[in-house]
């Protein structure tokens, strides 16, 4: 959201219109659009799946493999399944495969701290949705336009 707001503020400062900002996004950033169309967030805004080459290891893989870390999927009724799960176990063919409120936990080895490796829990909660940058531009534009006239 911060990037969207910065884009809008800079566009307004440069005297662009909202339509011009949207045109720049559509024409100049096709790869970003492709990644955003297949990046999914949980109810808390955490990336649960992305096909972005710039974010390796973020979220679940599209399809789980034997080498992937274990996951636990716990539905709101308390039923839990454990194993290797991928994005398509949660969302496939445009349809959610788990009910809202489902908790997905995954344990991965993290070696990014100077103190060494440790096991980190990643968690996501359904429902899952995609961002819509163009709609977010419109909302931010209206907000900042209103702030300028107030």
């Amino acid at each position: 959201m911060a990037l969207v707001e910065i884009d809008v503020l800079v566009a307004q400062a440069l005297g662009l219109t909202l339509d011009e900002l949207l045109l720049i996004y559509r024409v100049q950033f096709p790869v970003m659009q492709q990644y955003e169309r297949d990046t999914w967030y949980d109810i808390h805004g955490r990336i649960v799946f992305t096909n972005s080459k710039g974010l390796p290891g973020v979220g679940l893989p599209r399809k789980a493999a034997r080498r992937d870390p274990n996951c636990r999927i716990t539905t709101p009724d308390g039923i839990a399944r454990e194993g290797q799960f991928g994005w398509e176990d949660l969302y496939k063919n445009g349809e959610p495969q788990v009910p809202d409120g489902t908790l997905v936990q995954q344990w991965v080895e993290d070696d990014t701290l100077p103190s060494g490796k440790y096991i980190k829990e990643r968690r996501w909660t359904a429902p899952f949705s995609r961002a819509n940058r163009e709609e977010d531009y419109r909302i931010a534009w209206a907000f900042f336009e209103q702030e300028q006239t107030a």
Side-chain angles (χ1 to χ4, degrees):
M1 288 310 299
L3 294 175
V4 167
E5 292 175 5
I6 290 168
D7 287 351
V8 168
L9 289 170
V10 169
Q12 288 178 342
L14 293 173
L16 299 175
T17 66
L18 174 59
D19 287 337
E20 289 170 327
L21 174 61
L22 292 169
L23 180 63
I24 291 168
Y25 171 67
R26 292 174 188 147
V27 172
Q28 296 296 321
F29 299 100
V31 173
M32 184 187 324
Q33 292 174 55
Q34 178 184 353
Y35 289 151
E36 288 177 350
R37 277 192 297 271
D38 207 13
T39 296
W40 293 81
Y41 299 86
D42 79 344
I43 194 74
H44 302 290
R46 295 178 289 231
I47 295 175
V48 64
F49 172 77
T50 184
N51 67 347
S52 175
K53 304 293 184 240
L55 298 172
V58 173
L60 294 170
R62 187 175 301 276
K63 294 182 181 193
R66 220 180 291 198
R67 69 184 182 330
D68 291 323
N70 275 341
C71 290
R72 178 184 302 135
I73 298 176
T74 308
T75 54
D77 59 8
I79 297 173
R81 301 180 288 154
E82 293 200 25
Q84 276 94 13
F85 296 106
W87 172 239
E88 290 186 357
D89 295 304
L90 305 176
Y91 199 93
K92 190 172 185 177
N93 299 325
E95 293 293 324
Q97 304 297 302
V98 296
D100 290 356
T102 296
L103 174 64
V104 180
Q105 297 166 277
Q106 183 184 59
W107 296 271
V108 295
E109 188 176 87
D110 187 326
D111 64 352
T112 59
L113 295 179
S115 57
K117 297 179 184 178
Y118 71 102
I119 300 299
K120 176 179 181 176
E121 178 186 3
R122 302 191 311 183
R123 30 182 0 162
W124 304 279
T125 305
F128 308 116
S129 62
R130 292 177 287 193
N132 181 332
R133 184 177 291 258
E134 291 189 23
E135 184 58 28
D136 291 341
Y137 277 159
R138 288 183 184 93
I139 292 167
W141 192 278
F143 176 82
F144 290 122
E145 200 168 54
Q146 176 184 342
E147 288 295 309
Q148 290 172 359
T149 60

